[in-house]
Amino acid sequence: MASALFLFAILVKICFSSDIRDNSFARIRNKPTFVDKTPLIYEFLKHKYLFINAPSKFGKSTNLDMIGLFLSSHRPKKVIENQFIWTKIWESEEFVRNNLGQYPVIHFNLKIRGYSSNYEHTFTSFKVSLYNAFIEHAYLLESEKLGEDQIKMLEIYTDLTNIKLLDTDTVANGLAFLADVLYQHHGKQVILLADEFGRGITEGILKNHLDLSLVVGLYSSILNTTFHNSTVISHALLCGESWIYGLKGPAVSLIERVSFMQRIEFSRFYGFTYDEVDRLMAKFNTSKEEKVEGLKWYGGYSSYDGLFKVCNPFSIIEYLSHKNTMVFWTGSALAPDLVRRMLEVDNLKRLILDLVTKKTVNMNLEKDIKIVEVEFIRNKVEELPQYCENFFLQVLTEAGFLTFAENQMQSNNVFLKFPNEEVLSAVVKYTVLKT
């Protein structure tokens, strides 16, 4: 018990550190490297419940913050207008009038540094994230539209001493309860935004964490409690680097999955398009040769049909600052760890070496990976890794280490390659160390 309380105190401290929300839309809005992704707000509202996968540092957190800032009724409209005036979304007066500052928004942020993927850390991080989501709406404690029992529950969720003692069911019910009271107070349906949702699942599979089933069960319980039969959440966007493998329950089928670069309507929002890079490089007086070299090193992420490409936004910004090509980005620890693991198994090592020599490799796109048992995947990875080729390639694609080759046929079998020189250079270094 003492260790759990210590962990809770550490995560609370981490969660309030200055760099957790350093990718906020307001922070980058007036920077010279700002790239306008505001049309994502239109696209988001065309859908109900979305789960978007994208690599680390490809804009997930900034996009969530942008959507929340635009739609939330929690801030004065003038403050919101000052951030969005002259952006692309401002061109539609009717859309702005009907949607800007019109919704109660829940922002559930699991992006906590030092976060481990065992059950204790996952459960504790959910409590901390719930506290932050509730405290943003602490004004509900004074609402005359809520009952006495609802106020008592709000007092629990907005008190750090009480929230650290919550049981699993109360944690799983937290987002659904907050959505209910927001709807009752505002009389409007709620928008839910969740960052780093599913973090730890893929790592747990690859590292054979013993309590993985408990972690997946917690995510399943939260999703089912929040979304199944919900009438108060109009739209939701959940973002993570990789999919939550092994989910169960009725709510899973309600969530529309958008994999990185596999849906053309979303591809341009996670990464910088070549046109956007052109404009940035012109702004920074980049020569034609520097531009060609920059695209070679940091571009190449291709849509499924090969017709749409984006660049790594983090690396492009670093390149504009340094004007020198080098490996700026290696993603999260997920992809490098997986590459190192693959290099230990003969047939998987051959895949990596083929990619290093700029050959393509084949992957089967699963029609419905939601129903795959997480224990089955984990056991296969641990005991028979040579038969996990497809799963490993899928994870590397989600993490931004692989992309679709050009001239892809419309088939479940697709060809993959390294997107650019940056990823190739990083992988070559791992390969040299292993040989």
Side-chain angles (χ1 to χ4, degrees):
M1 182 65 177
S3 63
L5 294 178
F6 175 74
L7 173 63
F8 186 87
I10 292 297
L11 287 182
V12 169
K13 183 177 180 181
I14 290 172
C15 203
F16 286 108
S17 64
S18 60
D19 64 343
I20 289 298
R21 295 294 294 277
D22 66 352
N23 290 322
S24 68
F25 179 79
R27 186 185 70 85
I28 68 170
R29 170 66 181 90
N30 294 308
K31 287 195 168 187
T33 52
F34 171 70
V35 173
D36 191 342
K37 300 291 184 179
T38 54
L40 174 60
I41 303 170
Y42 298 120
E43 193 61 46
F44 164 61
L45 291 180
K46 294 178 185 177
H47 303 260
K48 190 169 178 63
Y49 303 149
L50 290 170
F51 192 112
I52 293 183
N53 295 125
S56 171
K57 299 186 184 300
F58 269 68
K60 297 187 300 294
S61 298
T62 301
N63 284 340
L64 279 177
D65 194 76
M66 172 188 73
I67 292 169
L69 178 62
F70 184 88
L71 298 176
S72 176
S73 59
H74 188 52
R75 299 173 180 84
K77 282 194 175 183
K78 192 64 179 175
V79 173
I80 307 174
E81 290 172 354
N82 287 340
Q83 295 296 332
F84 288 93
I85 192 169
W86 311 126
T87 61
K88 293 177 182 177
I89 205 166
W90 204 256
E91 297 169 5
S92 176
E93 294 183 11
E94 183 179 0
F95 183 86
V96 171
R97 184 170 59 252
N98 292 338
N99 293 282
L100 185 141
Q102 293 296 315
Y103 300 86
V105 174
I106 299 173
H107 201 138
F108 185 69
N109 187 6
L110 281 165
K111 192 172 186 179
I112 299 175
R113 287 187 294 106
Y115 167 73
S116 174
S117 53
N118 65 45
Y119 181 76
E120 183 181 5
H121 278 78
T122 302
F123 191 45
T124 303
S125 68
F126 265 99
K127 292 179 182 180
V128 176
S129 300
L130 269 181
Y131 170 77
N132 289 328
F134 272 89
I135 207 68
E136 190 172 354
H137 298 283
Y139 60 87
L140 292 171
L141 290 165
E142 307 297 327
S143 175
E144 297 179 356
K145 298 179 181 179
L146 303 180
E148 185 177 337
D149 290 343
Q150 291 171 311
I151 296 296
K152 286 181 179 178
M153 283 302 300
L154 280 170
E155 289 173 346
I156 292 173
Y157 283 115
T158 54
D159 187 286
L160 277 172
T161 302
N162 288 323
I163 204 169
K164 66 186 178 185
L165 302 175
L166 293 183
D167 59 27
T168 304
D169 289 342
T170 311
V171 170
N173 190 58
L175 292 175
F177 173 72
L178 181 54
D180 284 339
V181 293
L182 282 170
Y183 176 75
Q184 193 168 329
H185 176 80
H186 291 280
K188 292 183 176 181
Q189 287 184 305
V190 177
I191 303 284
L192 172 61
L193 307 172
D195 201 5
E196 292 291 342
F197 205 80
R199 187 175 182 183
I201 300 299
T202 304
E203 293 92 332
I205 293 172
L206 297 175
K207 295 180 179 179
N208 196 26
H209 290 143
L210 296 177
D211 51 5
L212 179 63
S213 294
L214 292 175
V215 177
V216 175
L218 178 62
Y219 275 107
S220 295
S221 179
I222 289 168
L223 288 176
N224 286 302
T225 303
T226 303
F227 294 117
H228 185 51
N229 292 329
S230 175
T231 58
V232 301
I233 300 176
S234 64
H235 300 81
L237 177 54
L238 316 175
C239 286
E241 183 175 352
S242 60
W243 174 248
I244 311 178
Y245 296 92
L247 285 175
K248 295 181 180 178
V252 178
S253 62
L254 301 176
I255 299 171
E256 180 183 357
R257 186 189 177 193
V258 179
S259 295
F260 181 56
M261 299 305 293
Q262 290 187 35
R263 292 275 295 275
I264 190 67
E265 67 269 37
F266 289 100
S267 296
R268 61 195 172 112
F269 299 119
Y270 293 90
F272 289 169
T273 68
Y274 281 28
D275 285 344
E276 289 166 344
V277 171
D278 279 347
R279 289 193 288 272
L280 273 180
M281 290 195 172
K283 187 185 295 186
F284 281 78
N285 298 316
T286 306
S287 69
K288 182 178 180 181
E289 291 76 15
E290 288 172 330
K291 176 183 145 185
V292 170
E293 193 69 6
L295 291 177
K296 179 181 174 183
W297 268 76
Y298 310 116
Y301 290 93
S302 175
S303 61
Y304 174 79
D305 57 11
L307 300 177
F308 195 89
K309 289 185 173 62
V310 299
C311 300
N312 183 321
F314 174 81
S315 296
I316 287 292
I317 291 172
E318 290 296 311
Y319 177 61
L320 290 173
S321 173
H322 293 81
K323 291 294 179 70
N324 189 24
T325 52
M326 63 182 75
V327 177
F328 296 113
W329 175 90
T330 55
S332 68
L334 177 61
D337 286 350
L338 179 52
V339 169
R340 294 185 187 101
R341 180 173 187 135
M342 292 175 71
L343 288 169
E344 296 171 354
V345 181
D346 285 343
N347 69 309
L348 300 178
K349 180 178 180 179
R350 189 165 56 252
L351 280 178
I352 298 296
L353 294 178
D354 282 346
L355 288 163
V356 167
T357 56
K358 299 193 175 180
K359 297 177 183 177
T360 59
V361 298
N362 180 260
M363 179 182 74
N364 180 262
L365 283 179
E366 301 285 352
K367 289 184 178 180
D368 190 0
I369 62 171
K370 301 174 186 177
I371 62 174
V372 176
E373 289 283 348
V374 70
E375 286 299 322
F376 171 79
I377 300 175
R378 182 176 71 170
N379 292 339
K380 198 173 177 183
V381 166
E382 183 65 19
E383 298 171 13
L384 300 166
Q386 65 269 31
Y387 297 112
C388 291
E389 177 180 312
N390 202 70
F391 173 69
F392 288 169
L393 293 176
Q394 176 70 41
V395 173
L396 287 175
T397 305
E398 292 174 354
F401 264 49
L402 293 176
T403 192
F404 297 105
E406 295 181 4
N407 302 317
Q408 203 72 237
M409 299 294 291
Q410 294 296 317
S411 167
N412 287 334
N413 290 307
V414 296
F415 291 94
L416 304 171
K417 64 177 183 177
F418 288 139
N420 51 44
E421 292 295 322
E422 180 178 47
V423 174
L424 174 61
S425 297
V427 174
V428 166
K429 182 176 71 173
Y430 309 142
T431 307
V432 169
L433 292 175
K434 281 287 183 180
T435 56

